[in-house]
Amino acid sequence: EPEVTQTPSHQVTQMGQEVILRCVPISNHLYFYWYRQILGQKVEFLVSFYNNEISEKSEIFDDQFSVERPDGSNFTLKIRSTKLEDSAMYFCASSADGQLDQHFGDGTRLSIL
Amino acid sequence: QQQVKQSPQSLIVQKGGISIINCAYENTAFDYFPWYQQFPGKGPALLIAIRPDVSEKKEGRFTISFNKSAKQFSLHIMDSQPGDSATYFCAASNGAGSYQLTFGKGTKLSVIP
């Protein structure tokens, strides 16, 4: 069964450093998403991306965050200057259509020191 | 308005019993209601989803019941097994231009032999 893959599985970064989280969505999917889950809390929406542009973003997704689809297969989330409160699990998801089921990767655990 | 309230926070069920998890929402524009299952260290995995045009959807041992007038929906796991022990999240989205999923806080289910 096709799946969303994310790398790395764990990223440890010093506060203030830039970090890039990578995702390979399911190949025929057109809609891409990033969510995050702070330890023990619910999953929160960050951003959705379609047709090479952001469709929607949450209040969490401020100017420190950016997304990119640099080629036909990868979808990345960049945090420009990380803060301690950015420590969380970051999940990438994709769907064939905006109204259809979203499939999640296993996440990247981001730890900011 | 955007919240999805999920209960209970944790649930212990005997093997073979029925697990019931409830969710309630306020936003009447929500029109898609998925349930996700999450094992430790893994991403949320789509379990089953429903739209408001039906009151019930069944897939194997998993059933979603939907009450549009009460703005509530629930997940029933029949013949619960120890392998069902996981955290379950309900979610909702508004398909009219917004595909972000709004998640409940999760229910940790433990099925004991």
Side-chain angles (χ1 to χ4, degrees), chain A residues 19-56:
Chain A
V19 66
I20 297 176
L21 309 182
R22 302 180 191 278
C23 169
V24 178
I26 294 173
S27 63
N28 63 341
H29 284 187
L30 301 176
Y31 291 77
F32 314 113
Y33 314 84
W34 284 101
Y35 292 81
R36 79 171 185 190
Q37 184 178 31
I38 295 172
L39 186 64
Q41 297 186 27
K42 66 178 181 180
V43 178
E44 300 175 290
F45 170 79
L46 293 178
V47 66
S48 61
F49 191 86
Y50 170 71
N51 200 25
N52 279 322
E53 61 182 27
I54 291 174
S55 308
E56 195 174 14

Side-chain angles (χ1 to χ4, degrees), chain A residues 35 56 98-99 101-102 106, chain B residues 32 36 51 98-101:
Chain A
Y35 292 81
E56 195 174 14
Q99 300 212 32
D101 304 333
Q102 294 182 26
D106 284 338
Chain B
Y32 170 74
Y36 284 84
R51 295 196 182 272
S98 171
Y99 306 131
Q100 65 170 283
L101 290 172

